[in-house]
């Protein structure tokens, strides 16, 4: 097949120009197809500068009949030798320095050409969303606009014969600068093109006498600013080295990693099946070991050692090549973390330990690492757990983001006040140290700082990055909370002005209509007559203590035929959050609310979450109701869905509801309804368990906060009451019923949730442990078999053992995920843990965006209102699902990290002896779980014995034998063993992280 392009020609239309391009595509059989493309140009696209009087007269309303807002300041920043100016950025500046563009101390009036926006979207979607947010949320400080140069007849450029796409795009950016320079010349505003592309800058210099605009590299532009020293500190490392003579590093080859394969070789290898693509996961116990799950392999492929990991970060999408069978290995039985490894490395790459790196390309790991890996190779030969190993030959997508860490004190030269190389140890122990250059090394010691990774050249042992900002002192509550939010990519900034403008103008004074047939109210809300008035129902809510964002409420009423009317009423969030609004976009981006020990990060503004949508008692609220008729056996006779108006009679905590149900003196209708709900929920749960639903566990604890000082008080294991199960069962029933309804209505795009069965290989190690130590086994033929086998894992002498096995089983399970129905066949919809064929999330729209989509689809399914095209488009639904899966997972990790931090604070002055359980045994330590605090910690071999070299690890018996420090008799420690441990909170001097330190008693 061949293609011939005919040079484009322009044609004047009544409303602007059109560019017509003919393309002839020749097929294999000799035929030719003519394709004509027309690109329409306009003459009414404004510059969006407030100083411009020309564009005010040419603007026209958009599709929403709104005029564009003029954003750029009439009095922009003044800098030396240039004066008042606007900045135009190219694609590489955006990709390289998005942190700087977001910084409130520079880049105040910025023009983003459309061609740049498009290129950024194609190369990095996360950066694209950050750039779009900058443009969307422009305010008095930061003013970013997108200029549609590709549709402006004055700035559109044709691609010249033999011109590359990149060269054409660079020329389009220069044309945009030229037009702006001429357009704003009369207003005394200059244009500065900031680009690190040397050829682009040279092209501008050739044209500059005529075109009248300036060009600077990022470093040159920063050097002109009044706060130059502060801004240059934040410039990405690669730009520093390239641009600054002052910053020339002592660049000697530290280490030589293998070169990545060329794109053509990678693509060919993937097609031919000799290369494989997947996401690398670095072991949480050994940072020199990763794994990649591949569809054709029953077990993950191991990546062992720095050379084979080849500069990959945890979560990167990589391409791997299998190693010879002679190099296949078993998973490591050693624990290694990046925080305490090679702590004396010199950030300038000139230390003694770097000598091995200069002796040749093959020297990638230190002698210490070689000895450890050699020991592992010997153990692997004795083991039957050999797995295929591979090496990373290409990284197709980086998972790089902003990271939180602290400067390693050992890397700081106290005698240097100028710029120096230092190491930053990241909070994520799976990641390597980052090398940054900074003037503020001594000032930043003892601080939590944010850094970005810039590059990892093949001749550098560690990645290069740059300082972004300082969060505050280590262990200060504000710094630690912000750090964990950043680490888990939780959006915590206040809602923008555009988002808040979408809220009801009445604010907290908004009220549901008294009458649903009131003409005045119907004129405001034409859909009001479609609502059902359920304010006569005895409805109540049951939630955790202190809950203010009440998503759900329930009621039960005996029917004349002896059956029960049961209602689940969910906050009608979609009445306030409409598709296509800034409010909806923000909710979709955040994906979920995040619950920390001391605060809640809302998905939606507080006005909605805690007031107008919240089903508070004693006030009328809009709801989306699921109404069933159930018989005494909790079987569904029929189900109905309706938008409604309700009035909750009471808001109970779980404990308050339990006390009311159990009180025989309470005989009112509301209490009788609650008792009926409890009895029906017991039957619903038994049906689920009979069908094979899993009853899993996690080591959850609750931290009590002092109401006056906000200091953590005590830690307790979460207790579950019958009312917890009551609410859970009816929420599950509602979710299942809604899932069936929306799938029937929208079989290709219904928002659903699935839980895949875990492969048997996930349970191999746990089953070997159970078989060897307890003569027990977990069956995996079905969820019912798994549930029954978990019930049989009982130790008569230890009541907690069954919970421990359930906790460890949970970690072997696949994660549940959101998906749209067109992505899988119906059998794959199944939720393994709940033992149901179809499931969704509908019951928490205040805090989950999945539920918002499900509400809209249900409204469309019952004919309440048409469904937006956004939720009927497979591609858009796929984007939504990917984002909320990631955000949901991050929210869970952030919540756990918050509990871990506050548990550490509680234990600071409470050293104690507690009961623990050994859950992992390594060559050089054991991992112990302490149920009381819900924490687990590694006890290293050096803290168990003074003779670490004499310790014996028996991998087959899951046993570590050693001579304790306080005795002469050898002690054997097995997995599942119940042990007493001394628990105390310590601040690691290297990582500045507070964690529970466990010592075997």
């Amino acid at each position: 097949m061949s293609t011939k392009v005919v040079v484009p020609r322009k044609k004047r239309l009544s409303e602007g120009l059109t560019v017509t391009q003919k393309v002839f595509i020749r097929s294999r059989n000799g035929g030719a197809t003519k394709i004509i493309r027309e690109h329409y140009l306009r003459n009414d696209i404004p510059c969006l500068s407030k100083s411009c009087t020309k564009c005010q007269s040419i603007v026209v309303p958009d599709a929403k009949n709104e005029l564009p807002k003029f954003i750029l300041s009439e009095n922009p920043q003044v800098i030396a030798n240039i004066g008042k100016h606007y900045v135009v950025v190219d694609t590489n500046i955006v990709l390289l320095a998005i942190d700087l563009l977001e910084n409130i101390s520079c880049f105040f009036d910025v023009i983003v050409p459309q061609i740049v926006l498009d290129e950024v979207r194609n190369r990095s979607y996360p950066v694209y969303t950050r750039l779009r947010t900058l443009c969307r949320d422009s305010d008095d400080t930061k003013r970013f606009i997108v200029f549609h140069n590709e549709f402006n007849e004055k700035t559109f450029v044709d691609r010249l014969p033999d011109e590359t796409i990149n060269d054409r795009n660079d020329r389009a950016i220069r044309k945009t600068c030229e037009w702006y320079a001429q357009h704003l010349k009369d207003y005394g505003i200059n244009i500065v093109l900031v680009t690190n592309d040397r050829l682009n800058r040279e092209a501008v210099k050739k044209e500059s006498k005529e075109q009248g605009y300036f060009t600077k590299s990022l470093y040159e532009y920063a050097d002109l600013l009044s706060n130059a020293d502060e801004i240059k500190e934040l410039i990405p490392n690669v730009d520093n080295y390239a641009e600054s003579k002052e910053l020339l590093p002592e660049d000697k080859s530290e280490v030589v990693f293998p070169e990545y394969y060329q794109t053509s070789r990678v693509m060919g290898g993937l097609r031919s099946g000799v290369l494989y693509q997947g996401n690398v996961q670095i072991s949480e116990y050994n940072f020199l070991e990763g794994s990649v799950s591949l569809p054709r392999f029953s077990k993950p492929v191991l990546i062992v050692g720095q050379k084979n990991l080849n500069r990959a970060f945890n979560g990167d999408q990589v391409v791997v090549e299998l190693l010879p069978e002679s190099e296949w290995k078993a998973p490591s039985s050693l624990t290694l973390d990046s925080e305490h490894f090679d702590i004396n490395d010199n950030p300038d790459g000139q230390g003694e330990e770097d000598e091995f790196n200069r002796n040749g390309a093959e020297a990638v790991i230190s002698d210490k690492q070689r000895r450890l890996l050699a020991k592992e190779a010997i153990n692997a030969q004795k083991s039957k757990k050999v797995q295929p190993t591979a090496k990373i030959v290409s990284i197709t997508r980086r998972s790089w983001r902003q990271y939180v860490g602290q400067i390693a004190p050992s890397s700081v030269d106290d005698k240097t006040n100028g710029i120096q190389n230092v190491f930053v140890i990241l909070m994520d122990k799976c990641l390597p140290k980052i090398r940054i250059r900074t003037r503020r090394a001594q000032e930043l010691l003892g601080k939590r700082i944010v850094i970005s990774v810039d590059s990892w050249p093949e001749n550098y042992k560690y990645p290069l990055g740059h300082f972004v900002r300082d969060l505050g002192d280590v262990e200060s509550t504000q710094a630690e909370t912000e750090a964990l939010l950043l680490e888990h990519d939780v959006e915590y900034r206040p809602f923008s002005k555009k988002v808040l403008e979408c809220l009801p103008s009445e604010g907290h004074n908004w009220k549901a209509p008294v009458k649903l047939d009131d003409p005045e109210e119907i004129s405001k809300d034409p859909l009001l007559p479609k609502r059902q008035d359920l304010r006569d129902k005895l409805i109540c809510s049951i939630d955790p203590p202190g809950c203010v964002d009440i998503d759900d409420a329930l009621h039960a009423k005996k029917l004349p035929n002896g059956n029960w009317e049961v209602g689940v009423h969910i906050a009608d969030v979609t009445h306030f959050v409409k598709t296509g609004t800034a409010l909806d976009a923000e909710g979709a981006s955040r994906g979920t609310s995040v619950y920390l020990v001391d605060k809640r990060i809302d998905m939606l503004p507080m006005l909605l979450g805690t007031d107008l949508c919240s089903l508070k008692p004693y006030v009328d609220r809009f709801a989306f109701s699921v109404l069933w008729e159930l018989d005494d056996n909790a079987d569904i006779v029929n189900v109905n869905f309706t938008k409604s108006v309700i009035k909750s009679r009471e808001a109970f905590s779980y404990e308050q509801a339990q006390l009311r149900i159990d009180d025989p003196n309470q005989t009112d209708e509301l209490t009788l309804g609650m008792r009926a709900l409890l009895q029906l929920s017991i039957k619903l749960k038994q049906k689920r368990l009979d069908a094979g639903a899993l009853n899993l566990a996690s080591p959850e604890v609750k931290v009590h906060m002092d109401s006056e000082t906000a200091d953590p008080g005590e830690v307790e294991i979460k207790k579950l009451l019958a009312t917890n199960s009551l609410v859970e069962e009816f929420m599950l029933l509602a979710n299942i019923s809604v899932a069936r309804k929306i799938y029937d209505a929208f079989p290709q795009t219904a928002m659903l949730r699935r839980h895949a069965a875990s492969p048997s290989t996930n349970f191999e190690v746990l089953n070997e442990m159970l078989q060897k130590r307890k003569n027990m086994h977990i069956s995996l033929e079905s969820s019912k078999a798994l549930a029954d086998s978990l019930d049989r894992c009982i130790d008569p002498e230890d009541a907690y053992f069954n919970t421990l096995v359930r906790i460890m089983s949970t970690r072997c399970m696949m994660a549940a995920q959101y998906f749209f129905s067109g992505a899988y066949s119906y059998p794959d919809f199944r939720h393994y843990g709940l033992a149901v064929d179809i499931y969704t999330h509908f019951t928490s729209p205040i805090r989950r965006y999945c539920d918002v989509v499900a509400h809209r689809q249900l409204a469309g399914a019952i004919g309440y209102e048409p469904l937006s095209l956004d939720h009927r488009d497979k591609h858009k639904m796929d984007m939504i699902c990917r984002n909320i899966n990631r955000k949901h997972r991050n929210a869970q990790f952030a919540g756990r990290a918050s509990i871990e931090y506050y548990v550490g604070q509680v234990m600071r002055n409470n050293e104690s002896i507690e009961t623990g359980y050994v859950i992992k045994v390594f060559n050089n330590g054991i991992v112990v779980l302490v149920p009381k605090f819900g924490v687990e910690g590694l006890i290293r071999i050096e803290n168990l014995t003074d003779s670490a070299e004499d310790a014996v690890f028996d991998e087959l018996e899951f046993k570590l034998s050693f001579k304790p420090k306080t005795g002469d008799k050898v002690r054997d420690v097995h997995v599942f063993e119940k042990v007493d441990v001394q628990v105390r909170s310590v601040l690691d001097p290297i990582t500045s992280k507070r964690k529970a330190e466990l010592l075997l008693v």
Side-chain angles (χ1 to χ4, degrees):
M1 181 180 291
S2 62
T3 303
K4 182 180 180 181
V5 180
V6 177
V7 177
R9 63 188 183 85
K10 294 184 180 180
K11 177 183 177 183
R12 170 67 67 179
L13 299 178
S14 59
E15 296 292 337
L17 288 174
T18 179
V19 178
T20 303
Q21 185 179 37
K22 295 178 183 178
V23 180
F24 292 89
I25 299 178
R26 186 177 299 280
S27 61
R28 289 188 179 92
N29 60 13
T33 302
K34 182 171 73 172
I35 298 177
I36 298 178
R37 298 190 180 98
E38 288 192 339
H39 183 83
Y40 293 93
L41 303 179
R42 298 171 56 170
N43 56 12
D44 57 0
I45 296 178
C47 67
L48 300 183
S49 169
K50 291 181 179 179
S51 64
C52 178
T53 56
K54 307 170 191 173
C55 292
Q56 301 281 354
S57 60
I58 65 168
V59 291
V60 294
D62 59 16
K64 297 179 182 178
N65 203 33
E66 297 176 353
L67 290 173
K69 293 183 179 178
F70 285 67
I71 304 294
L72 299 174
S73 173
E74 61 268 39
N75 292 303
Q77 185 182 21
V78 177
I79 58 177
N81 302 324
I82 291 178
K84 295 196 298 184
H85 72 287
Y86 296 152
V87 171
V88 177
V89 290
D90 71 359
T91 304
N92 287 327
I93 291 295
V94 175
L95 294 171
L96 186 71
I98 186 65
D99 300 325
L100 263 181
L101 296 180
E102 292 173 332
N103 192 296
I104 60 172
S105 301
C106 59
F107 289 102
F108 302 112
D109 291 274
V110 178
I111 299 163
V112 181
Q114 176 200 341
I115 191 64
V116 170
L117 190 69
D118 293 342
E119 281 189 307
V120 170
R121 179 171 185 167
N122 291 333
R123 291 175 61 180
S124 174
Y125 195 77
V127 174
Y128 167 78
T129 57
R130 290 168 70 180
L131 183 60
R132 290 293 308 195
T133 300
L134 274 172
C135 297
R136 183 192 70 200
D137 297 341
S138 292
D139 53 27
D140 294 337
T141 304
K142 305 281 286 185
R143 297 167 292 274
F144 279 63
I145 63 124
V146 176
F147 178 72
H148 296 277
N149 65 295
E150 294 295 279
F151 295 99
N152 189 314
E153 64 178 41
K154 299 290 181 60
T155 57
F156 175 81
V157 297
D158 294 325
R159 184 177 170 188
L160 302 176
D162 300 324
E163 186 177 37
T164 67
I165 293 177
N166 283 337
D167 287 345
R168 181 265 170 197
N169 291 346
D170 286 343
R171 194 160 54 84
I173 295 170
R174 296 199 299 272
K175 185 71 173 179
T176 299
C177 294
E178 175 191 339
W179 179 81
Y180 261 100
Q182 295 297 322
H183 186 73
L184 299 175
K185 185 176 181 181
D186 294 341
Y187 307 104
I189 297 175
N190 293 308
I191 300 298
V192 180
L193 171 60
V194 178
T195 175
N196 281 348
D197 186 331
R198 180 178 55 82
L199 295 177
N200 208 8
R201 293 202 303 271
E202 289 177 357
V204 174
K205 287 177 181 176
K206 293 177 182 177
E207 306 166 351
S208 60
K209 293 180 181 178
E210 297 179 17
Q211 317 310 339
Y213 61 94
F214 300 88
T215 179
K216 301 289 180 184
S217 71
L218 183 59
Y219 190 87
E220 290 170 342
Y221 178 75
D223 206 31
L224 295 173
L225 302 178
S226 57
N227 53 347
D229 289 342
E230 173 192 345
I231 300 304
K232 285 191 290 186
E233 186 85 11
L234 310 178
I235 292 179
N237 228 332
V238 289
D239 190 59
N240 281 350
Y241 290 172
E243 298 294 335
S244 170
K245 294 179 181 178
E246 178 188 1
L247 294 179
L248 282 174
E250 306 76 18
D251 272 337
K252 296 182 180 179
S253 178
E254 297 178 353
V255 63
V256 178
F257 285 100
E259 287 186 16
Y260 294 135
Y261 287 179
Q262 292 183 350
T263 303
S264 57
R265 184 175 177 183
V266 170
M267 297 302 292
L270 291 173
R271 281 195 298 268
S272 63
V274 299
L275 299 180
Y276 307 91
Q277 184 169 273
N279 291 333
V280 63
Q281 298 298 320
I282 306 298
S283 168
E284 62 177 313
Y285 293 107
N286 186 342
F287 80 104
L288 292 180
E289 179 179 283
S291 62
V292 180
S293 295
L294 303 173
R296 292 175 57 184
F297 293 81
S298 59
K299 291 183 178 181
V301 174
L302 282 180
I303 317 290
V304 181
Q306 279 183 314
K307 178 180 178 181
N308 291 329
L309 283 169
N310 201 5
R311 296 168 280 161
F313 267 49
N314 191 31
D316 283 353
Q317 187 180 77
V318 300
V319 175
V320 299
E321 182 177 64
L322 288 179
L323 294 174
E325 190 170 353
S326 59
E327 297 184 41
W328 291 7
K329 296 188 59 180
S332 174
S333 60
L334 276 171
T335 63
L336 291 173
D337 63 62
S338 60
E339 303 163 339
H340 300 89
F341 208 81
D342 288 343
I343 60 174
N344 294 318
D345 268 3
N346 188 327
D348 290 318
Q350 296 178 323
E352 294 178 4
E353 290 190 351
D354 284 325
E355 284 301 319
F356 74 93
N357 292 325
R358 303 189 188 113
N359 295 330
E362 291 300 314
V364 177
I365 55 177
S366 69
D367 290 343
K368 182 177 180 181
Q369 292 168 310
R370 285 186 184 282
R371 286 192 294 270
L372 292 170
L373 293 175
K375 186 176 180 181
E376 280 306 290
I378 294 170
N379 288 335
Q381 291 172 355
K382 298 176 182 177
S383 170
K384 296 180 180 179
K385 302 176 184 177
V386 172
Q387 295 181 19
T389 57
K391 62 180 180 180
I392 292 173
V393 297
S394 178
I395 296 179
T396 52
R397 186 174 66 239
R398 283 290 191 183
S399 59
W400 289 349
R401 54 177 172 80
Q402 288 188 341
Y403 297 98
V404 180
Q406 53 287 325
I407 291 177
S410 61
S411 69
V412 177
D413 184 352
D414 296 335
K415 299 176 182 177
T416 301
N417 292 322
I419 294 175
Q420 59 177 300
N421 290 321
V422 294
F423 284 131
V424 175
I425 298 174
L426 304 182
M427 292 185 72
D428 187 342
K429 64 183 180 182
C430 296
L431 300 177
K433 293 176 282 195
I434 310 297
R435 186 167 113 171
I436 69 170
R437 293 175 69 78
T438 179
R439 290 181 175 85
R440 301 171 58 192
Q442 296 182 36
E443 175 192 341
L444 294 174
L445 280 174
K447 304 275 191 181
R448 288 272 183 245
I449 64 171
V450 181
I451 63 104
S452 279
V453 180
D454 302 320
S455 64
W456 195 345
E458 64 191 35
N459 59 333
Y460 281 82
K461 185 176 181 181
Y462 298 102
L464 306 178
H466 66 274
F467 169 76
V468 176
R469 60 192 175 97
D470 166 18
L471 298 180
D473 293 333
V474 165
E475 287 217 281
S476 64
T477 301
Q478 181 178 349
E480 297 296 343
T481 300
E482 191 171 0
L484 74 87
L485 291 172
L486 281 167
E487 271 299 287
H488 297 98
D489 193 25
V490 175
E491 177 55 74
Y492 60 93
R493 290 177 296 184
F495 291 99
S496 70
K497 183 179 177 182
K498 288 190 176 181
V499 169
L500 297 178
E501 286 173 350
C502 298
L503 299 176
S505 57
E506 302 93 330
H508 293 285
N509 296 322
W510 179 91
K511 289 183 175 57
V514 176
K515 295 182 179 181
L516 299 186
D517 56 357
D518 185 335
E520 184 178 345
E521 296 293 344
I522 293 174
S523 66
K524 299 176 186 176
D525 180 8
L527 297 175
L528 193 59
K530 292 187 177 183
R531 286 189 183 272
Q532 189 171 342
D533 195 333
L534 301 179
R535 284 176 280 201
D536 61 322
K537 307 295 182 183
L538 297 179
I539 296 170
C540 68
S541 60
I542 306 175
D543 291 285
C547 180
V548 291
D549 51 344
I550 302 174
D551 284 291
D552 54 86
L554 307 97
H555 88 274
K557 177 184 177 182
K558 191 80 169 180
L559 295 173
N561 64 1
N563 289 341
W564 290 93
E565 176 190 82
V566 175
V568 165
H569 312 277
I570 307 301
D572 188 8
V573 170
T574 56
H575 173 77
F576 300 96
V577 183
K578 300 299 184 182
T579 55
T581 62
L583 176 60
D584 182 53
E586 185 69 19
S589 175
R590 296 191 178 210
T592 181
S593 294
V594 181
Y595 293 85
L596 308 181
V597 169
D598 61 332
K599 66 169 62 177
R600 182 187 67 249
I601 312 298
D602 292 315
M603 182 182 82
L604 298 172
M606 192 176 293
L607 175 64
L608 297 182
T610 63
D611 190 359
L612 305 191
C613 292
S614 183
L615 304 182
K616 300 191 298 183
Y618 326 126
V619 293
D620 296 345
R621 285 291 179 259
F622 283 165
F624 211 147
S625 300
V626 183
L627 302 170
W628 299 277
E629 181 181 344
L630 302 179
D631 61 21
D632 284 334
N633 196 37
D635 291 322
I636 299 175
V637 177
N638 62 58
V639 60
N640 184 40
F641 308 93
T642 181
K643 291 259 189 168
S644 60
V645 184
I646 67 167
K647 184 174 185 178
S648 175
R649 298 300 195 269
E650 194 61 68
F652 296 106
S653 68
Y654 290 119
E655 190 171 2
Q656 289 170 341
Q658 191 69 56
L659 291 172
R660 182 152 179 165
I661 290 171
D662 294 341
D663 186 352
N665 297 320
Q666 296 281 356
T667 58
D668 58 279
E669 283 192 63
L670 179 60
T671 306
L672 293 176
M674 293 166 66
R675 288 183 183 135
L677 288 170
L678 180 58
Q679 294 306 311
L680 291 168
S681 72
I682 292 171
K683 295 173 182 177
L684 288 170
K685 183 172 184 177
Q686 190 57 52
K687 287 181 181 182
R688 284 198 308 108
L689 295 176
D690 291 344
L694 301 179
N695 184 16
L696 299 173
S698 61
E700 290 192 4
V701 296
K702 182 175 182 179
V703 181
H704 292 279
M705 305 292 289
D706 188 296
S707 58
E708 294 182 2
T709 64
D711 291 330
E714 61 179 5
V715 179
E716 69 170 355
I717 298 175
K718 283 188 176 180
K719 298 175 183 177
L720 297 180
L721 303 170
T723 45
N724 288 82
S725 181
L726 181 162
V727 174
E728 179 185 10
E729 291 305 319
F730 282 106
M731 297 306 112
L732 292 175
L733 188 64
N735 288 335
I736 295 167
S737 297
V738 169
R740 298 194 194 286
K741 184 69 175 178
I742 62 176
Y743 176 63
D744 286 343
F746 307 105
Q748 289 300 309
T749 57
M751 173 65 81
L752 302 174
R753 185 165 175 81
R754 67 189 290 266
H755 181 211
S758 299
S760 58
T761 52
N762 285 22
F763 283 84
E764 274 186 0
V765 174
L766 178 57
N767 261 330
E768 287 177 17
M769 291 178 181
L770 286 168
Q771 186 68 44
K772 182 65 67 175
R773 303 306 314 159
K774 296 290 185 177
N775 197 26
M776 297 175 181
H777 181 76
I778 294 176
S779 302
L780 301 166
E781 293 81 12
S782 65
S783 60
K784 175 65 174 171
L786 175 57
D788 291 343
S789 62
L790 286 173
D791 290 339
R792 292 193 295 270
C793 291
I794 296 174
D795 185 340
E797 298 179 2
D798 188 355
Y800 188 77
F801 176 72
N802 184 259
T803 302
L804 180 66
V805 174
R806 292 180 190 275
I807 290 170
M808 296 176 73
S809 296
T810 302
R811 297 177 181 184
C812 298
M813 302 289 289
M814 301 288 284
Q817 61 177 179
Y818 297 107
F819 71 104
F820 65 97
S821 52
Y824 294 91
S825 60
Y826 191 85
D828 293 327
F829 289 6
R830 184 171 180 79
H831 196 293
Y832 182 80
L834 297 175
V836 293
D837 59 327
I838 191 168
Y839 189 68
T840 191
H841 273 165
F842 166 78
T843 55
S844 298
I846 291 176
R847 60 185 179 90
R848 288 190 308 231
Y849 191 74
C850 164
D851 304 53
V852 173
V853 177
H855 274 234
R856 290 173 178 156
Q857 292 183 335
L858 183 59
I862 65 175
Y864 180 81
E865 63 182 337
L867 179 62
S868 165
L869 292 177
D870 286 352
H871 303 321
R872 302 178 73 168
D873 181 283
K874 284 186 176 183
H875 175 70
K876 290 182 179 178
M877 286 297 294
D878 182 51
M879 296 286 286
I880 291 172
C881 291
R882 286 174 185 270
N883 182 63
I884 60 179
N885 279 324
R886 183 171 59 86
K887 294 292 188 177
H888 178 74
R889 185 173 60 251
N890 289 350
Q892 288 181 316
F893 290 154
R896 292 171 194 166
S898 178
I899 291 173
E900 184 180 344
Y901 167 71
Y902 277 101
V903 167
Q905 297 301 310
V906 170
M907 294 191 302
R908 285 180 75 166
N909 302 311
N910 294 287
E911 188 173 319
S912 60
I913 306 295
E914 303 294 345
T915 298
Y917 292 84
V918 179
I919 59 173
K920 280 183 180 290
V921 179
F922 290 105
N923 205 317
N924 58 342
I926 59 175
V927 178
V928 177
L929 170 69
V930 181
K932 179 179 178 180
F933 294 119
V935 298
E936 59 187 74
L938 172 69
I939 306 179
R940 297 180 183 278
I941 190 68
E942 51 265 31
N943 292 327
L944 295 171
T945 177
D946 291 326
S947 305
E949 63 279 1
D950 296 329
V952 178
F953 171 60
D954 189 335
E955 187 173 9
L956 298 179
E957 293 289 333
F958 302 99
K959 178 179 69 174
L960 185 63
S961 303
F962 56 90
K963 190 177 292 184
K965 291 186 175 185
T966 56
D968 295 327
K969 187 178 179 182
V970 173
R971 178 171 180 178
D972 296 336
V973 176
H974 301 86
V975 73
F976 297 132
E977 186 173 335
K978 186 177 180 179
V979 295
D980 288 331
V981 291
Q982 180 184 12
V983 184
R984 61 179 183 175
S985 178
V986 297
L987 186 67
D988 191 307
I990 296 172
T991 67
S992 298
K993 290 190 220 172
R994 181 166 294 280
K995 57 186 178 181
E997 181 181 75
L998 309 181
L999 297 174
L1000 204 59
V1001 176

